[in-house]
Amino acid sequence: MSSFYGDSDLTDDGEIFDIHQGIIFAIHLTPTMYSSIPIIFSNLLSLIHDLAKTMPNTGIGCYLFNCSNKATDETGGNGDQNASDWRRQLFSDRKGIYPVFRLNDINSSQLKRVNNLLQQSKGEDIIKLFKLLSEDPVTNNGQQLSWMLNQCQDDFTYIPKFVKRYSARRVFLFTDCDKPFNGSTSMRTTLQHNIHDLNAAKIGIIPFLMARGDGSDEQFNLKEYKILLEVGENGNLVDEENSKSRVNQIALKKIQEKISKTKEIKRTAFSCPLRINDQLTISIKGYSMFNEVKLRMMDSFYDDEGTYKLVHTKTYKLSKETGETTKENEVVRAFHVGDQYFNMDKSYYERLLRFGEKEKPILKVLGFRKTEYFNPSYTIGTAVFIAPDDNGDYTHSRRAFSALYQSMIRKRKMCLVWGMPRKMSYPSLYYMIPTDESLGFKTNVENYPQGFAMIQIPDRDQIRMLPNYVTETLQPTRIMEPNLFDSIVNELQSGFKSLENPQLSWYFKVFEDYLLQREVEGPEIKVESAVSEVVDKQKQMNKIDELKLKIMKLRLEPSANVKAMKNQLNRMSNSENLHPKEDREADLPPSKRTKLLTDELVIKAWKLRELNKFNAQQLRVYVNSKPNLIERSNTKDEMIRNIEEYLNRVVTSRE
């Protein structure tokens, strides 16, 4: 069955790409819908506020459909300037559709537009502004809905210039009319074709089916929308007894809760088979449950008459000798090894990246180990949550996954796997640990789902090792007490709470007030007695003292373990002084064998093209020893270039 939510995280071949979410609000205008519009606009404004802080590259679009198209009516013929302005924005080919704003990444104009409409929708002006095509919403609903779905598909297909393709595409459909095709077979077929095209393009429709806002107790009849949105590929209805219905009526107060889940976008990390043994293979999916905060480089813009526009760069391949542009068909990709070049065919290179496997991605179970041997200090990166993939190539995945999970909990073991979870990843070792609290797996997330937490095991060059003098002269186990670092990390985590950033919130508040031209009232000046002022100052001082006490408490909690760690590090430093190690001259690199450079060493290194092996201080001393002969410079590359010019003059003239 094709899902009307769409699988927005994967391409057709299963390759992962960056999440770029696009959402279109499609609001069906009916006589009983006017009372719900302020709530919808309020939630849309709140969504823009939140996404601007958390996911600013999210695309938002908003449309009202079933609007009046008449050029002369009550709103347009009385000199109403606002009515004539919005009427000019109506689509001519798809009549009745009014774009509040077209689909585009979040920007300030969207914020202004929604805020203005929200203020208008609180009064009766919204009824005059958006007049219906007909008082009976059923009359035009089918055709209007079909045009609206086509418009949504066009917006996701023909995106604005310089906007990245949307990978997660959703349509939020708001309506209180339960007759989309009103029993018409032809209109039902048309709408089913529209929805089939959206499913093929992986555009999900999320229906917000609300009861009428006229105060009646009549419930929303879900029959026709279930026929449209819950029909399988064979044309039959979904079995509601064995499958939970996804088309339900929603209460007005639940709209905010459902829209807010948009920020909790599903992030699929990978999808691949897990080979337990030669006879058993299952399909699994990995989800990124925790995200790392990463710094983002600043973008470059240019000022176009007061409007900042993004600067786009283009790369040219130039010849190193002549500087001329090289054609793409003349470029050959090869590996540079020493003074030789090895051409590598793309298909052969892809076969090398499979690392002995016929297909990628894949994970293999190497064995099992007791969970007591797991040391979180020797892992890197963030954990990935593993769950069975019902849409994978192996149909028995959920049953086998559940059996594996239960047996590992019962035997208190974890799984050691090897492989490449993504097509472009290199092989690595991972631990798959059951997320059951009985095994000590605890997080700050309530109701953490059951499955496996896959944690990467680092290679030798990926972990910070102890100094060589500690491992060679002393026994590290006698110096380092076990789990000392773990205890400090646990203490710090126990006192950490995710709090709202007041500076960031204040920044967005000031920015929004500036964009919307809001007048912020100044602080009220109260004339009170001197006793009241003293009491207020004392309350303020008490709050400051209370905050200081909390900060001091957080500073003193890990002090004992930190002090013990400092003592251990001091003992390591003392051991270096007590057990000095004499380095042999032959074991040192050329840059450290001789502190002062002689002409013989420099000329020999110059002939072998090894001047860069000397450090900057050695080269600087050598340059200073030749005043007025070698030009001084600040960088190592310039010093090497000046030394080479000097040797070219002197050595060549001697020869």
Side-chain angles (χ1 to χ4, degrees):
M1 186 191 71
S2 58
S3 170
F4 62 87
Y5 284 97
D7 189 2
S8 57
D9 300 311
L10 300 174
T11 57
D12 295 335
D13 58 354
E15 186 177 356
I16 309 295
F17 48 77
D18 295 334
I19 297 295
H20 186 205
Q21 185 176 203
I23 306 170
I24 294 179
F25 281 68
I27 305 171
H28 181 207
L29 207 59
T30 65
T32 55
M33 196 71 175
Y34 284 117
S35 60
S36 304
I37 288 181
I39 298 178
I40 297 175
F41 281 163
S42 176
N43 284 282
L44 175 57
L45 190 64
S46 176
L47 181 65
I48 294 176
H49 285 170
D50 295 339
L51 292 179
K53 302 173 186 177
T54 57
M55 293 185 287
N57 64 333
T58 303
I60 299 289
C62 184
Y63 293 91
L64 294 171
F65 62 100
N66 198 28
C67 298
S68 176
N69 288 90
K70 295 181 180 179
T72 57
D73 54 15
E74 297 177 1
T75 59
N78 297 328
D80 192 341
Q81 184 64 29
N82 290 333
S84 60
D85 289 342
W86 77 263
R87 196 173 305 286
R88 283 195 294 268
Q89 299 183 46
L90 286 169
F91 289 110
S92 58
D93 54 345
R94 291 167 183 162
K95 298 180 179 180
I97 299 180
Y98 171 71
V100 177
F101 49 82
R102 303 286 293 271
L103 177 66
N104 206 335
D105 287 354
I106 292 175
N107 53 67
S108 59
S109 61
Q110 295 175 348
L111 183 68
K112 296 178 183 179
R113 184 61 176 153
V114 177
N115 183 74
N116 293 336
L117 287 178
L118 180 61
Q119 300 301 325
Q120 295 178 4
S121 64
K122 292 180 179 179
E124 296 182 355
D125 294 339
I126 194 70
I127 301 177
K128 297 179 181 179
L129 185 61
F130 304 112
K131 186 175 177 61
L132 302 178
L133 284 176
S134 173
E135 293 298 329
D136 184 7
V138 178
T139 304
N140 304 295
N141 188 15
Q143 186 62 53
Q144 288 284 313
L145 180 59
S146 177
W147 282 341
M148 186 68 252
L149 296 179
N150 287 331
Q151 182 62 40
C152 293
Q153 185 171 3
D154 287 350
D155 277 11
F156 282 118
T157 303
Y158 307 104
I159 58 177
K161 192 176 182 181
F162 303 135
V163 174
K164 213 169 141 188
R165 177 177 174 267
Y166 293 103
S167 56
R169 290 163 280 191
R170 302 179 181 180
V171 177
F172 288 176
L173 176 62
F174 296 85
T175 182
D176 62 355
C177 180
D178 55 7
K179 304 294 183 186
F181 53 87
N182 197 21
S184 173
T185 305
S186 60
M187 184 53 63
R188 168 185 169 178
T189 304
T190 301
L191 291 174
Q192 285 179 338
H193 284 313
N194 295 141
I195 295 173
H196 179 271
D197 293 341
L198 293 176
N199 286 337
K202 296 184 179 180
I203 301 174
I205 302 176
I206 302 179
F208 290 76
L209 309 178
M210 301 175 291
R212 294 192 313 186
D214 54 0
S216 62
D217 297 333
E218 183 179 354
Q219 296 292 318
F220 194 99
N221 190 349
L222 303 174
K223 180 179 178 181
E224 291 195 359
Y225 269 101
K226 284 189 175 183
I227 293 175
L228 293 178
L229 299 178
E230 292 191 350
V231 172
E233 296 180 356
N234 56 0
N236 299 325
L237 286 175
V238 176
D239 186 1
E240 296 184 6
E241 295 181 358
N242 299 327
S243 178
K244 184 179 179 181
S245 176
R246 290 169 293 184
V247 178
N248 298 299
Q249 180 179 336
I250 185 172
L252 200 59
K253 60 183 180 180
K254 293 288 186 180
I255 289 180
Q256 182 178 4
E257 179 182 350
K258 192 171 182 179
I259 292 179
S260 63
K261 291 183 179 179
T262 303
K263 296 176 290 184
E264 304 170 5
I265 182 172
K266 182 181 68 174
R267 298 182 180 272
T268 303
F270 61 84
S271 177
C272 72
L274 174 65
R275 187 173 300 168
I276 301 176
N277 53 42
D278 295 337
Q279 291 78 30
L280 181 59
T281 304
I282 63 176
S283 298
I284 60 173
K285 249 185 181 182
Y287 299 94
S288 300
M289 304 295 286
F290 307 98
N291 294 327
E292 295 177 297
V293 179
K294 298 181 180 179
L295 292 176
R296 180 181 175 184
M297 298 297 294
M298 294 183 294
D299 296 324
S300 299
F301 299 88
Y302 69 95
D303 190 354
D304 184 11
E305 297 181 358
T307 302
Y308 284 104
K309 294 184 178 180
L310 184 65
V311 175
H312 294 269
T313 58
K314 188 175 182 180
T315 303
Y316 294 94
K317 296 180 175 61
L318 304 178
S319 173
K320 184 177 180 180
E321 289 77 13
T322 62
E324 297 179 352
T325 304
T326 304
K327 297 180 180 180
E328 189 66 31
N329 56 2
E330 298 177 354
V331 177
V332 178
R333 298 186 181 275
F335 288 101
H336 187 194
V337 181
D339 58 347
Q340 299 183 17
Y341 297 89
F342 296 92
N343 294 351
M344 183 65 68
D345 182 66
K346 183 178 180 181
S347 60
Y348 183 71
Y349 180 67
E350 290 178 352
R351 290 199 300 270
L352 289 178
L353 292 180
R354 293 176 184 172
F355 300 99
E357 297 293 336
K358 295 181 180 179
E359 298 293 337
K360 287 179 62 177
I362 191 172
L363 290 173
K364 290 183 177 180
V365 176
L366 300 182
F368 301 90
R369 198 179 187 190
K370 292 184 178 180
T371 55
E372 61 188 46
Y373 293 107
F374 173 70
N375 189 349
S377 301
Y378 299 146
T379 57
I380 58 175
T382 56
V384 179
F385 180 75
I386 304 297
D389 185 7
D390 295 331
N391 298 322
D393 298 332
Y394 302 93
T395 56
H396 57 272
S397 298
R398 181 168 293 276
R399 184 172 63 254
F401 186 91
S402 177
L404 177 65
Y405 178 77
Q406 296 297 333
S407 62
M408 290 178 64
I409 293 177
R410 186 174 62 255
K411 296 181 180 180
R412 306 185 66 82
K413 289 189 176 183
M414 57 185 177
C415 186
L416 179 64
V417 298
W418 176 94
M420 301 77 66
R422 304 176 186 85
K423 284 186 176 181
M424 300 305 296
S425 61
Y426 291 92
S428 183
L429 290 171
Y430 302 90
Y431 276 137
M432 286 176 53
I433 306 173
T435 60
D436 191 82
E437 291 189 2
S438 63
L439 300 179
F441 191 94
K442 294 182 180 180
T443 65
N444 295 329
V445 180
E446 296 182 0
N447 300 325
Y448 195 89
Q450 291 188 345
F452 290 106
M454 192 174 81
I455 305 174
Q456 184 179 0
I457 304 174
D459 296 327
R460 183 177 181 180
D461 57 349
Q462 290 177 299
I463 59 176
R464 291 171 291 180
M465 302 180 64
L466 293 174
N468 292 332
Y469 63 82
V470 175
T471 57
E472 292 179 3
T473 60
L474 299 175
Q475 298 179 1
T477 55
R478 184 167 56 87
I479 297 179
M480 299 296 295
E481 298 179 5
N483 298 329
L484 188 57
F485 286 92
D486 296 344
S487 59
I488 295 177
V489 173
N490 292 333
E491 289 182 5
L492 294 175
Q493 288 179 344
S494 62
F496 174 78
K497 293 182 180 179
S498 180
L499 301 177
E500 184 180 2
N501 189 334
Q503 183 177 3
L504 190 65
S505 301
W506 175 254
Y507 167 78
F508 278 101
K509 181 185 181 302
V510 174
F511 185 57
E512 182 180 345
D513 291 339
Y514 169 74
L515 290 175
L516 302 179
Q517 294 298 303
R518 292 175 179 169
E519 294 185 4
V520 181
E521 297 181 358
E524 297 182 0
I525 301 176
K526 297 182 180 180
V527 180
E528 297 180 353
S529 62
V531 177
S532 178
E533 292 181 1
V534 172
V535 173
D536 292 340
K537 288 183 179 180
Q538 186 61 40
K539 289 181 179 179
Q540 186 177 2
M541 294 300 297
N542 292 340
K543 290 182 179 179
I544 296 176
D545 293 340
E546 183 180 356
L547 181 60
K548 288 182 178 179
L549 290 175
K550 290 182 179 180
I551 295 175
M552 292 301 297
K553 184 178 180 182
L554 290 175
R555 293 179 59 184
L556 293 175
E557 278 183 355
S559 60
N561 288 326
V562 171
K563 191 176 295 184
M565 186 186 299
K566 287 183 177 179
N567 292 334
Q568 293 180 24
L569 295 176
N570 290 334
R571 290 163 61 185
M572 290 184 186
S573 179
N574 294 334
S575 66
E576 182 181 11
N577 298 328
L578 295 175
H579 305 277
K581 180 180 178 182
E582 297 180 358
D583 297 327
R584 294 187 303 168
E585 186 76 10
D587 295 337
L588 294 175
S591 60
K592 294 184 179 180
R593 291 180 185 176
T594 305
K595 295 299 180 181
L596 297 177
L597 299 180
T598 61
D599 291 338
E600 183 181 358
L601 288 175
V602 173
I603 294 174
K604 183 178 180 181
W606 168 64
K607 291 182 178 180
L608 296 176
R609 298 181 181 272
E610 294 181 351
L611 286 175
N612 56 353
K613 290 186 177 181
F614 302 117
N615 58 41
Q617 181 62 25
Q618 290 175 298
L619 295 174
R620 187 175 293 106
V621 173
Y622 182 77
V623 170
N624 294 335
S625 65
K626 308 270 185 199
N628 301 325
L629 295 177
I630 303 178
E631 184 179 355
R632 296 183 180 181
S633 57
N634 296 326
T635 64
K636 182 178 179 180
D637 293 337
E638 292 178 355
M639 285 189 289
I640 292 177
R641 193 181 305 112
N642 296 337
I643 293 174
E644 288 178 346
E645 292 178 357
Y646 165 73
L647 294 178
N648 283 329
R649 296 195 309 268
V650 176
V651 176
T652 305
S653 60
R654 291 178 181 176
E655 294 177 352

